[in-house]
Amino acid sequence: MATLREQLFRVKPVPRDAEEAGSELKRTIGPFSLTMIGVGSTIGTGIFFILSESVPVAGPAVIWSFVIAGVVAGLAVICYAELAGSVPVSGSSYSYAYATLGELPAMGVAACLLLEYGVAGAAVAVGWSQYVNQLLFNLFGFEIPHALAYAPEEGGIVNLPAILLLTMCAFLLIRGTGESIVINTIMVCTKVGVLIFFICVGVTGWNTDNFSDFAPFGVSGVIAGSGLIFFSYVGMDAVATAGDETKNPKRTMPIALISALLIVTSVYILVAIAALSAQPWQEFEGQDAGLSAILETIVGSTWPGTVVAAGAVISIFSVTLVSIYGQTRILFTMSRDGMMPKLFQEVNPRTLTPVKGTIVVTAVIAVMAGFIPITFLAEMTSIGTLVAFVVVSLAVIILRVREPGLERGFKVPFYPVLPVLSIIGCFWIISSLRPITIVVFLVWTAVVLALYLVFGRKNSVLGRQRAAAADAVRTGGAPTEGSERGGGSEL
């Protein structure tokens, strides 16, 4: 019988290739489509509406907030690229933690990911409703009533457009991953085109005076702005959740991660510069559908704002789509490991998608989107993303030591300096978040760990396989094929 410590820190062997990982999901995603998943779940979350939250905190220096968030995310993404090319499975940093730190730490990371994806989906859906109203007003002269477009804390009853968006995304994901990926790619291309249009029109309203009071809140404001913005980089983790559905994941995933990071960071910074050059930073606070409003002011007409609002309505759909997708795939992996109820790993035989898990996830996110304001949602997503990035960076170091001969599709340069800098940068941004955000995060993590102690520890597939292998050794019998594979040597 394994001791409690052995149970809590048992390490899952790293699969040597995609076939050894084993999965009922269909491998349909190539390099371009996977890059679009990363771009799709990132651009839109951070730029279509986060400026109204971050600019009042940092002023024009929010440009540096984007740079800092991009650099820290970049360091973490390089670490993701190595692990994604070494551990070709779904589950992202949960799977990486399971293969390096052990079962209990993996559940702690799972708490971060469940928070990260669930709250990100809700936050984006809330922002989507702002642009729906802007588009309806420009085209038809009316808006959805305030009571049905805002959370109770914001003076409404329920954010109905947000719930509608989540329902549409769930329907698409249930139909099949292949169809969802094609539609996501179209939406991402639309989104990038709309933002390039904004940049081109935005710079025509350039006013250097808008940058005169560049950092009104000093360095602390810049770092606080980074904390709010960082939740937009959840898309980088979304790439790693697709390991079970990616063709040749050891090569494809590092390419997609790095490509998505470069595209996202470049677009973010250019849009922020264009927006701040055209509008005084004091006017961003409380501004709904901010990018549309800026263009309407510059041109003196509603048509540019209508173009941006339409692009936002279409493209933010892709962010929500990938958020739900990532959440369901993490739960799928956890359920397959015995850490969650079996319904999350049940796959529809026709569509090869986890239908029941998708419905449950969408229902929970819809409740958050309907009744919780966007500012709190953004911070909660940031802390989940940051902690997950810390674990990924740490996992690179541990796996290099434990498995030096493991085949890696990509290696972090300047090892171990870059992983250490990634960890330091993430903790630096975490320190700028509000105390209530950190407290809620710790409470949530404690709830998930308690669930593991009550349910996951006893139902762990790895634990059962190792127990069966140990019994076979004691009785002189041969272990089963499953226990032999699951009970391999520790890393």
Side-chain angles (χ1 to χ4, degrees):
M1 181 68 180
T3 65
L4 179 61
R5 184 185 181 282
E6 289 172 339
Q7 292 177 10
L8 299 181
F9 294 96
R10 51 196 169 208
V11 177
K12 188 176 182 180
V14 178
R16 300 295 165 174
D17 51 45
E19 286 67 33
E20 185 180 331
S23 176
E24 297 175 359
L25 301 177
K26 188 176 181 181
R27 294 190 179 275
T28 59
I29 305 174
F32 180 73
S33 295
L34 192 59
T35 300
M36 292 300 99
I37 287 178
V39 175
S41 67
T42 306
I43 292 181
T45 316
I47 206 64
F48 276 108
F49 57 83
I50 199 61
L51 287 175
S52 62
E53 305 295 334
S54 57
V55 172
V57 171
V62 76
I63 295 170
W64 282 112
S65 299
F66 276 104
V67 172
I68 291 171
V71 169
V72 174
L75 293 171
V77 163
I78 291 172
C79 295
Y80 263 104
E82 175 166 329
L83 291 178
S86 309
V87 187
V89 295
S90 288
S92 107
S93 46
Y94 159 77
S95 296
Y96 306 152
Y98 207 164
T100 54
L101 303 175
E103 203 163 88
L104 181 68
M107 285 300 293
V109 174
C112 299
L113 295 176
L114 295 177
L115 182 70
E116 176 182 320
Y117 283 100
V119 179
V124 178
V126 171
W128 186 75
S129 67
Q130 298 175 5
Y131 282 94
V132 169
N133 257 341
Q134 181 72 36
L135 184 62
L136 290 175
F137 183 78
N138 286 0
L139 292 177
F140 307 110
F142 74 89
E143 296 181 342
I144 298 170
H146 189 91
L148 298 179
Y150 289 88
E153 189 174 318
E154 298 170 314
I157 297 175
V158 62
N159 193 322
L160 195 58
I163 295 174
L164 176 63
L165 170 63
L166 291 161
T167 303
M168 291 189 293
C169 289
F171 176 76
L172 184 58
L173 287 169
I174 287 170
R175 285 183 58 86
T177 301
E179 295 176 8
S180 302
I181 295 303
V182 171
I183 292 176
N184 176 70
T185 301
I186 294 171
M187 289 181 174
V188 171
C189 293
T190 301
K191 177 188 314 186
V192 173
V194 166
L195 290 175
I196 291 174
F197 169 77
F198 173 83
I199 294 167
C200 293
V201 177
V203 294
T204 64
W206 188 282
N207 185 346
T208 306
D209 291 341
N210 291 339
F211 296 99
S212 59
D213 188 14
F214 188 72
F217 306 105
V219 175
S220 61
V222 174
I223 303 304
S226 296
L228 283 169
I229 290 166
F230 206 87
F231 89 102
S232 61
Y233 282 94
V234 65
M236 300 299 103
D237 189 273
V239 174
T241 66
D244 280 348
E245 295 167 277
T246 300
K247 302 173 184 176
N248 190 13
K250 287 195 172 186
R251 175 181 177 275
T252 300
M253 296 184 75
I255 292 173
L257 279 161
I258 294 172
S259 300
L261 173 73
L262 293 175
I263 294 170
V264 165
T265 304
S266 300
V267 171
Y268 275 6
I269 292 173
L270 289 174
V271 170
I273 291 173
L276 286 158
S277 72
Q279 177 175 281
W281 70 267
Q282 295 90 340
E283 296 180 14
F284 281 85
E285 186 169 8
Q287 188 176 46
D288 288 347
L291 300 190
S292 294
I294 290 170
L295 291 193
E296 289 178 9
T297 301
I298 293 173
V299 178
S301 173
T302 61
W303 73 262
T306 302
V307 171
V308 172
V313 167
I314 294 170
S315 61
I316 291 177
F317 188 107
S318 71
V319 185
T320 313
L321 184 75
V322 177
S323 294
I324 298 175
Y325 171 84
Q327 179 91 303
T328 57
R329 270 41 179 188
I330 290 166
L331 287 168
F332 174 89
T333 304
M334 293 175 68
S335 178
R336 190 172 58 187
D337 290 337
M339 300 294 130
M340 284 287 172
K342 290 184 178 180
L343 74 89
F344 289 106
Q345 65 172 305
E346 292 180 10
V347 174
N348 183 283
R350 184 178 64 84
T351 63
L352 297 179
T353 57
V355 174
K356 292 181 180 178
T358 301
I359 293 172
V360 171
V361 165
T362 304
V364 173
I365 296 176
V367 171
M368 290 191 291
F371 299 99
I372 300 177
I374 191 171
T375 306
F376 186 69
L377 291 172
E379 283 203 24
M380 291 308 302
T381 307
S382 288
I383 193 169
T385 306
L386 285 160
V387 174
F389 281 6
V390 167
V391 172
V392 166
S393 304
L394 184 61
V396 166
I397 298 172
I398 294 173
L399 203 57
R400 284 280 189 107
V401 174
R402 286 182 173 172
E403 288 269 358
L406 185 67
E407 181 185 350
R408 291 170 169 85
F410 172 85
K411 281 191 173 183
V412 172
F414 306 110
Y415 170 87
V417 175
L418 291 190
V420 171
L421 288 177
S422 174
I423 293 170
I424 293 172
C426 289
F427 277 120
W428 185 31
I429 296 178
I430 288 173
S431 68
S432 71
L433 299 176
R434 292 182 298 172
I436 184 61
T437 303
I438 297 173
V439 169
V440 172
F441 170 75
L442 293 175
V443 170
W444 164 250
T445 303
V447 170
V448 174
L449 292 179
L451 175 65
Y452 163 71
L453 293 174
V454 173
F455 177 84
R457 183 170 62 92
K458 298 176 182 178
N459 292 279
S460 168
V461 171
L462 179 61
R464 290 180 175 180
Q465 290 172 343
R466 293 191 173 178
D471 288 342
V473 170
R474 282 196 298 270
T475 59
T480 64
E481 182 182 348
S483 64
E484 189 175 75
R485 182 171 60 249
S489 60
E490 299 259 319
L491 296 179

PDB file of all heavy atoms in Angstrom, residues 26-50:
ATOM      1  N   LYS A  26      -9.961  12.781 -32.391  1.00  0.00           N
ATOM      2  CA  LYS A  26      -9.463  12.671 -33.757  1.00  0.00           C
ATOM      3  C   LYS A  26      -8.406  13.737 -34.031  1.00  0.00           C
ATOM      4  O   LYS A  26      -8.593  14.911 -33.723  1.00  0.00           O
ATOM      5  CB  LYS A  26     -10.637  12.836 -34.732  1.00  0.00           C
ATOM      6  CG  LYS A  26     -10.292  12.549 -36.182  1.00  0.00           C
ATOM      7  CD  LYS A  26     -11.554  12.659 -37.034  1.00  0.00           C
ATOM      8  CE  LYS A  26     -11.257  12.355 -38.506  1.00  0.00           C
ATOM      9  NZ  LYS A  26     -12.477  12.481 -39.329  1.00  0.00           N
ATOM     10  N   ARG A  27      -7.282  13.334 -34.642  1.00  0.00           N
ATOM     11  CA  ARG A  27      -6.194  14.268 -34.945  1.00  0.00           C
ATOM     12  C   ARG A  27      -6.467  14.948 -36.290  1.00  0.00           C
ATOM     13  O   ARG A  27      -6.256  14.359 -37.351  1.00  0.00           O
ATOM     14  CB  ARG A  27      -4.845  13.541 -34.964  1.00  0.00           C
ATOM     15  CG  ARG A  27      -4.448  13.003 -33.600  1.00  0.00           C
ATOM     16  CD  ARG A  27      -3.018  12.495 -33.558  1.00  0.00           C
ATOM     17  NE  ARG A  27      -2.709  12.023 -32.213  1.00  0.00           N
ATOM     18  CZ  ARG A  27      -2.291  12.785 -31.210  1.00  0.00           C
ATOM     19  NH1 ARG A  27      -2.129  14.086 -31.426  1.00  0.00           N
ATOM     20  NH2 ARG A  27      -2.043  12.284 -30.019  1.00  0.00           N
ATOM     21  N   THR A  28      -6.932  16.198 -36.230  1.00  0.00           N
ATOM     22  CA  THR A  28      -7.321  16.927 -37.447  1.00  0.00           C
ATOM     23  C   THR A  28      -6.646  18.288 -37.566  1.00  0.00           C
ATOM     24  O   THR A  28      -6.819  18.974 -38.566  1.00  0.00           O
ATOM     25  CB  THR A  28      -8.846  17.149 -37.459  1.00  0.00           C
ATOM     26  OG1 THR A  28      -9.221  17.901 -36.289  1.00  0.00           O
ATOM     27  CG2 THR A  28      -9.599  15.828 -37.465  1.00  0.00           C
ATOM     28  N   ILE A  29      -5.865  18.712 -36.582  1.00  0.00           N
ATOM     29  CA  ILE A  29      -5.366  20.092 -36.523  1.00  0.00           C
ATOM     30  C   ILE A  29      -3.914  20.165 -36.999  1.00  0.00           C
ATOM     31  O   ILE A  29      -3.039  19.487 -36.463  1.00  0.00           O
ATOM     32  CB  ILE A  29      -5.474  20.651 -35.097  1.00  0.00           C
ATOM     33  CG1 ILE A  29      -6.916  20.529 -34.575  1.00  0.00           C
ATOM     34  CG2 ILE A  29      -5.038  22.107 -35.053  1.00  0.00           C
ATOM     35  CD1 ILE A  29      -7.082  20.938 -33.123  1.00  0.00           C
ATOM     36  N   GLY A  30      -3.671  21.015 -38.008  1.00  0.00           N
ATOM     37  CA  GLY A  30      -2.333  21.235 -38.532  1.00  0.00           C
ATOM     38  C   GLY A  30      -1.719  22.516 -37.992  1.00  0.00           C
ATOM     39  O   GLY A  30      -2.330  23.217 -37.179  1.00  0.00           O
ATOM     40  N   PRO A  31      -0.490  22.883 -38.434  1.00  0.00           N
ATOM     41  CA  PRO A  31       0.224  24.052 -37.892  1.00  0.00           C
ATOM     42  C   PRO A  31      -0.547  25.366 -38.026  1.00  0.00           C
ATOM     43  O   PRO A  31      -0.633  26.140 -37.065  1.00  0.00           O
ATOM     44  CB  PRO A  31       1.526  24.080 -38.704  1.00  0.00           C
ATOM     45  CG  PRO A  31       1.710  22.685 -39.186  1.00  0.00           C
ATOM     46  CD  PRO A  31       0.338  22.134 -39.399  1.00  0.00           C
ATOM     47  N   PHE A  32      -1.102  25.643 -39.227  1.00  0.00           N
ATOM     48  CA  PHE A  32      -1.808  26.911 -39.421  1.00  0.00           C
ATOM     49  C   PHE A  32      -3.055  26.992 -38.561  1.00  0.00           C
ATOM     50  O   PHE A  32      -3.304  28.004 -37.887  1.00  0.00           O
ATOM     51  CB  PHE A  32      -2.174  27.084 -40.899  1.00  0.00           C
ATOM     52  CG  PHE A  32      -2.900  28.378 -41.183  1.00  0.00           C
ATOM     53  CD1 PHE A  32      -2.227  29.585 -41.173  1.00  0.00           C
ATOM     54  CD2 PHE A  32      -4.265  28.378 -41.442  1.00  0.00           C
ATOM     55  CE1 PHE A  32      -2.897  30.778 -41.426  1.00  0.00           C
ATOM     56  CE2 PHE A  32      -4.940  29.556 -41.699  1.00  0.00           C
ATOM     57  CZ  PHE A  32      -4.257  30.763 -41.694  1.00  0.00           C
ATOM     58  N   SER A  33      -3.845  25.924 -38.553  1.00  0.00           N
ATOM     59  CA  SER A  33      -5.076  25.922 -37.755  1.00  0.00           C
ATOM     60  C   SER A  33      -4.765  26.042 -36.275  1.00  0.00           C
ATOM     61  O   SER A  33      -5.485  26.723 -35.526  1.00  0.00           O
ATOM     62  CB  SER A  33      -5.868  24.636 -38.023  1.00  0.00           C
ATOM     63  OG  SER A  33      -6.307  24.589 -39.357  1.00  0.00           O
ATOM     64  N   LEU A  34      -3.678  25.398 -35.827  1.00  0.00           N
ATOM     65  CA  LEU A  34      -3.317  25.478 -34.409  1.00  0.00           C
ATOM     66  C   LEU A  34      -2.840  26.881 -34.047  1.00  0.00           C
ATOM     67  O   LEU A  34      -3.146  27.395 -32.963  1.00  0.00           O
ATOM     68  CB  LEU A  34      -2.233  24.447 -34.086  1.00  0.00           C
ATOM     69  CG  LEU A  34      -1.947  24.213 -32.601  1.00  0.00           C
ATOM     70  CD1 LEU A  34      -3.202  23.748 -31.873  1.00  0.00           C
ATOM     71  CD2 LEU A  34      -0.825  23.177 -32.425  1.00  0.00           C
ATOM     72  N   THR A  35      -2.104  27.513 -34.957  1.00  0.00           N
ATOM     73  CA  THR A  35      -1.707  28.911 -34.726  1.00  0.00           C
ATOM     74  C   THR A  35      -2.943  29.793 -34.604  1.00  0.00           C
ATOM     75  O   THR A  35      -3.002  30.690 -33.745  1.00  0.00           O
ATOM     76  CB  THR A  35      -0.824  29.414 -35.881  1.00  0.00           C
ATOM     77  OG1 THR A  35       0.347  28.610 -35.978  1.00  0.00           O
ATOM     78  CG2 THR A  35      -0.407  30.869 -35.657  1.00  0.00           C
ATOM     79  N   MET A  36      -3.931  29.532 -35.435  1.00  0.00           N
ATOM     80  CA  MET A  36      -5.166  30.316 -35.396  1.00  0.00           C
ATOM     81  C   MET A  36      -5.937  30.095 -34.092  1.00  0.00           C
ATOM     82  O   MET A  36      -6.652  30.978 -33.632  1.00  0.00           O
ATOM     83  CB  MET A  36      -6.054  29.972 -36.596  1.00  0.00           C
ATOM     84  CG  MET A  36      -5.501  30.425 -37.944  1.00  0.00           C
ATOM     85  SD  MET A  36      -5.243  32.226 -38.070  1.00  0.00           S
ATOM     86  CE  MET A  36      -3.478  32.350 -37.748  1.00  0.00           C
ATOM     87  N   ILE A  37      -5.800  28.901 -33.487  1.00  0.00           N
ATOM     88  CA  ILE A  37      -6.419  28.682 -32.183  1.00  0.00           C
ATOM     89  C   ILE A  37      -5.791  29.616 -31.156  1.00  0.00           C
ATOM     90  O   ILE A  37      -6.474  30.267 -30.363  1.00  0.00           O
ATOM     91  CB  ILE A  37      -6.257  27.212 -31.737  1.00  0.00           C
ATOM     92  CG1 ILE A  37      -7.186  26.305 -32.558  1.00  0.00           C
ATOM     93  CG2 ILE A  37      -6.573  27.058 -30.249  1.00  0.00           C
ATOM     94  CD1 ILE A  37      -7.064  24.836 -32.222  1.00  0.00           C
ATOM     95  N   GLY A  38      -4.454  29.712 -31.183  1.00  0.00           N
ATOM     96  CA  GLY A  38      -3.764  30.605 -30.250  1.00  0.00           C
ATOM     97  C   GLY A  38      -4.113  32.056 -30.474  1.00  0.00           C
ATOM     98  O   GLY A  38      -4.414  32.797 -29.537  1.00  0.00           O
ATOM     99  N   VAL A  39      -4.077  32.478 -31.739  1.00  0.00           N
ATOM    100  CA  VAL A  39      -4.421  33.869 -32.064  1.00  0.00           C
ATOM    101  C   VAL A  39      -5.897  34.132 -31.772  1.00  0.00           C
ATOM    102  O   VAL A  39      -6.275  35.170 -31.228  1.00  0.00           O
ATOM    103  CB  VAL A  39      -4.107  34.164 -33.547  1.00  0.00           C
ATOM    104  CG1 VAL A  39      -4.567  35.569 -33.930  1.00  0.00           C
ATOM    105  CG2 VAL A  39      -2.615  34.018 -33.814  1.00  0.00           C
ATOM    106  N   GLY A  40      -6.741  33.143 -32.104  1.00  0.00           N
ATOM    107  CA  GLY A  40      -8.180  33.321 -31.941  1.00  0.00           C
ATOM    108  C   GLY A  40      -8.614  33.487 -30.508  1.00  0.00           C
ATOM    109  O   GLY A  40      -9.536  34.253 -30.214  1.00  0.00           O
ATOM    110  N   SER A  41      -7.949  32.793 -29.582  1.00  0.00           N
ATOM    111  CA  SER A  41      -8.364  32.887 -28.188  1.00  0.00           C
ATOM    112  C   SER A  41      -7.665  34.017 -27.455  1.00  0.00           C
ATOM    113  O   SER A  41      -7.909  34.243 -26.275  1.00  0.00           O
ATOM    114  CB  SER A  41      -8.072  31.566 -27.462  1.00  0.00           C
ATOM    115  OG  SER A  41      -6.689  31.357 -27.376  1.00  0.00           O
ATOM    116  N   THR A  42      -6.794  34.749 -28.155  1.00  0.00           N
ATOM    117  CA  THR A  42      -6.025  35.813 -27.509  1.00  0.00           C
ATOM    118  C   THR A  42      -6.435  37.177 -28.040  1.00  0.00           C
ATOM    119  O   THR A  42      -6.946  38.014 -27.306  1.00  0.00           O
ATOM    120  CB  THR A  42      -4.520  35.577 -27.728  1.00  0.00           C
ATOM    121  OG1 THR A  42      -4.177  34.267 -27.304  1.00  0.00           O
ATOM    122  CG2 THR A  42      -3.700  36.585 -26.936  1.00  0.00           C
ATOM    123  N   ILE A  43      -6.224  37.407 -29.321  1.00  0.00           N
ATOM    124  CA  ILE A  43      -6.636  38.689 -29.893  1.00  0.00           C
ATOM    125  C   ILE A  43      -8.156  38.781 -29.827  1.00  0.00           C
ATOM    126  O   ILE A  43      -8.858  37.903 -30.309  1.00  0.00           O
ATOM    127  CB  ILE A  43      -6.163  38.825 -31.347  1.00  0.00           C
ATOM    128  CG1 ILE A  43      -4.651  38.939 -31.393  1.00  0.00           C
ATOM    129  CG2 ILE A  43      -6.790  40.044 -31.999  1.00  0.00           C
ATOM    130  CD1 ILE A  43      -4.084  39.112 -32.779  1.00  0.00           C
ATOM    131  N   GLY A  44      -8.620  39.835 -29.272  1.00  0.00           N
ATOM    132  CA  GLY A  44     -10.059  39.995 -29.072  1.00  0.00           C
ATOM    133  C   GLY A  44     -10.338  40.065 -27.592  1.00  0.00           C
ATOM    134  O   GLY A  44     -11.023  40.961 -27.112  1.00  0.00           O
ATOM    135  N   THR A  45      -9.772  39.117 -26.853  1.00  0.00           N
ATOM    136  CA  THR A  45      -9.927  39.142 -25.402  1.00  0.00           C
ATOM    137  C   THR A  45      -9.281  40.389 -24.840  1.00  0.00           C
ATOM    138  O   THR A  45      -9.840  41.103 -24.028  1.00  0.00           O
ATOM    139  CB  THR A  45      -9.245  37.913 -24.780  1.00  0.00           C
ATOM    140  OG1 THR A  45      -9.561  36.775 -25.535  1.00  0.00           O
ATOM    141  CG2 THR A  45      -9.651  37.733 -23.342  1.00  0.00           C
ATOM    142  N   GLY A  46      -8.064  40.686 -25.303  1.00  0.00           N
ATOM    143  CA  GLY A  46      -7.305  41.748 -24.672  1.00  0.00           C
ATOM    144  C   GLY A  46      -7.418  43.100 -25.301  1.00  0.00           C
ATOM    145  O   GLY A  46      -7.087  44.081 -24.661  1.00  0.00           O
ATOM    146  N   ILE A  47      -7.863  43.198 -26.538  1.00  0.00           N
ATOM    147  CA  ILE A  47      -7.742  44.486 -27.205  1.00  0.00           C
ATOM    148  C   ILE A  47      -9.070  45.135 -27.539  1.00  0.00           C
ATOM    149  O   ILE A  47      -9.177  46.353 -27.593  1.00  0.00           O
ATOM    150  CB  ILE A  47      -6.871  44.350 -28.477  1.00  0.00           C
ATOM    151  CG1 ILE A  47      -6.208  45.673 -28.826  1.00  0.00           C
ATOM    152  CG2 ILE A  47      -7.676  43.785 -29.630  1.00  0.00           C
ATOM    153  CD1 ILE A  47      -5.234  46.158 -27.780  1.00  0.00           C
ATOM    154  N   PHE A  48     -10.124  44.390 -27.786  1.00  0.00           N
ATOM    155  CA  PHE A  48     -11.394  45.000 -28.165  1.00  0.00           C
ATOM    156  C   PHE A  48     -12.054  45.730 -26.999  1.00  0.00           C
ATOM    157  O   PHE A  48     -12.828  46.648 -27.204  1.00  0.00           O
ATOM    158  CB  PHE A  48     -12.353  43.953 -28.744  1.00  0.00           C
ATOM    159  CG  PHE A  48     -12.131  43.683 -30.205  1.00  0.00           C
ATOM    160  CD1 PHE A  48     -11.558  42.502 -30.616  1.00  0.00           C
ATOM    161  CD2 PHE A  48     -12.489  44.613 -31.155  1.00  0.00           C
ATOM    162  CE1 PHE A  48     -11.350  42.240 -31.967  1.00  0.00           C
ATOM    163  CE2 PHE A  48     -12.284  44.374 -32.517  1.00  0.00           C
ATOM    164  CZ  PHE A  48     -11.707  43.186 -32.912  1.00  0.00           C
ATOM    165  N   PHE A  49     -11.764  45.304 -25.767  1.00  0.00           N
ATOM    166  CA  PHE A  49     -12.418  46.016 -24.662  1.00  0.00           C
ATOM    167  C   PHE A  49     -11.566  46.198 -23.408  1.00  0.00           C
ATOM    168  O   PHE A  49     -11.964  46.917 -22.499  1.00  0.00           O
ATOM    169  CB  PHE A  49     -13.719  45.304 -24.252  1.00  0.00           C
ATOM    170  CG  PHE A  49     -13.552  43.863 -23.851  1.00  0.00           C
ATOM    171  CD1 PHE A  49     -13.161  43.510 -22.582  1.00  0.00           C
ATOM    172  CD2 PHE A  49     -13.803  42.859 -24.766  1.00  0.00           C
ATOM    173  CE1 PHE A  49     -13.016  42.192 -22.219  1.00  0.00           C
ATOM    174  CE2 PHE A  49     -13.677  41.532 -24.412  1.00  0.00           C
ATOM    175  CZ  PHE A  49     -13.280  41.190 -23.132  1.00  0.00           C
ATOM    176  N   ILE A  50     -10.364  45.613 -23.352  1.00  0.00           N
ATOM    177  CA  ILE A  50      -9.580  45.732 -22.117  1.00  0.00           C
ATOM    178  C   ILE A  50      -8.953  47.109 -21.955  1.00  0.00           C
ATOM    179  O   ILE A  50      -8.562  47.507 -20.857  1.00  0.00           O
ATOM    180  CB  ILE A  50      -8.488  44.631 -22.055  1.00  0.00           C
ATOM    181  CG1 ILE A  50      -7.987  44.442 -20.615  1.00  0.00           C
ATOM    182  CG2 ILE A  50      -7.322  44.984 -22.975  1.00  0.00           C
ATOM    183  CD1 ILE A  50      -9.046  44.014 -19.640  1.00  0.00           C
TER     184      ILE A  50
END
